[in-house]
Amino acid sequence: MDDQLNNEVRAILARVETRLQDEVASSLPFLDIAAKHIICAGGKRFRPLLVTLCGLLGDANADATRAKVRPHSDSRERLIDAALVVELTHVASLYHDDVMDDADVRRGVPSANARFGNSVAILVGDYLFAHASRIVAGLGADFVRIQAQTFAALVTGQIAELRGPSREDDPFEHYYEVLDGKTASLIATSALFGGLIAGLDAPQVTALERFGRKLGMAFQLADDLIDITSAAAGKPQGTDLREGVATLPVLLLNQSESLTDKLLYERILGGLAEDEIPIVLQALQGHPVVARSREIISEWATAARAELATLPNTPARAALGTLCAEAASRAS
Ligand code: FPP
Ligand code: MG
């Protein structure tokens, strides 16, 4: 990353980090601890990074001059607020998701439900979302509307996953709808927030939202593949198999000509016993569906990158391009 851009991004993300804890502080000691539990456990801060880079894309009509890397101090504060909104929304959704998945571990520490119980985890998720709502109010009505739509999309995606495809649904289309709702929506909103704060013109803002949506798809597809191929840092492996959720490699089994593959697909969908999980994981890990999944993830990342073509040719745009490659390579 360009040095000046790198410094600016680091400065913004450092402020986000401090404020994340300050914003959720509570005078009730137990709530204070529970609210900071997953925030303090770390995380990639992928969504704040995306807000920041999109917010530093620069003036649509300017050359890629170094001076453009540093935003006006007011828009810098707005970028920090927007980054807080998307990260708090994300963390809130993880508190709820871990209750739904009955997860034990998140970001390498006991999940909030494991440490404090389901009721507390749900309420603390609500509490974090309340703070995200408070902060987004300061950004204006358009941002509040987008945030509300994103919240609805997250819930819709999560419910669609929970319910599974109906008989008449194409399982692949259903899966993509789930991913678009539960993950790509908030990643698209992160890019959109950045673009709006940067003052990009309407077609560019729309391109940036499409970019975020496709990047979000690549990101979640990679996450789903990692759940099968490797013990990711801070997460248990095989969660989707345990839940009977068919993700990309499993859905590809169903498209195979081989009867053995189709039988494995049916077996996974029928629900696996705990002692079958390692055996099925091993079978999947050595299967060509893994290589095909990687190709599909790369295709989404490439499509995301292509959306950047009409955006100002600045160091931030180059960094966003790199982010696409990194999102895809996570799963390789
Ligand atoms: C993780 O999926 C879950 C999400 C990305 C979205 C969860 C959304 C909700 C629970 C809706 C409620 C939202 C709010 C804001 C309170 P995963 O289980 O595939 O990923 P994981 O491996 O990280 O658990
Ligand atoms: Mg989960």
Side-chain angles (χ1 to χ4, degrees), residues 51-52 54-58 71-83 139 143 189-200 205 208:
V51 172
T52 306
C54 293
L56 297 177
L57 270 167
H72 184 269
S73 66
D74 182 46
S75 62
R76 195 172 197 262
E77 290 310 308
R78 286 170 69 75
L79 281 182
I80 293 167
D81 281 351
L139 292 171
F143 287 78
T189 292
S190 305
L192 178 57
F193 278 0
L196 289 171
I197 294 168
L200 299 181
V205 168
L208 210 44

Side-chain angles (χ1 to χ4, degrees), residues 94 97-98 100-101 103 106 158 161 182 235 239-240 243:
L94 295 181
D97 180 63
D98 283 344
M100 293 178 71
D101 289 351
R106 170 69 67 185
Q158 196 75 354
E161 181 174 281
K182 79 171 192 177
K235 276 191 199 179
T239 304
D240 297 318
E243 302 285 312

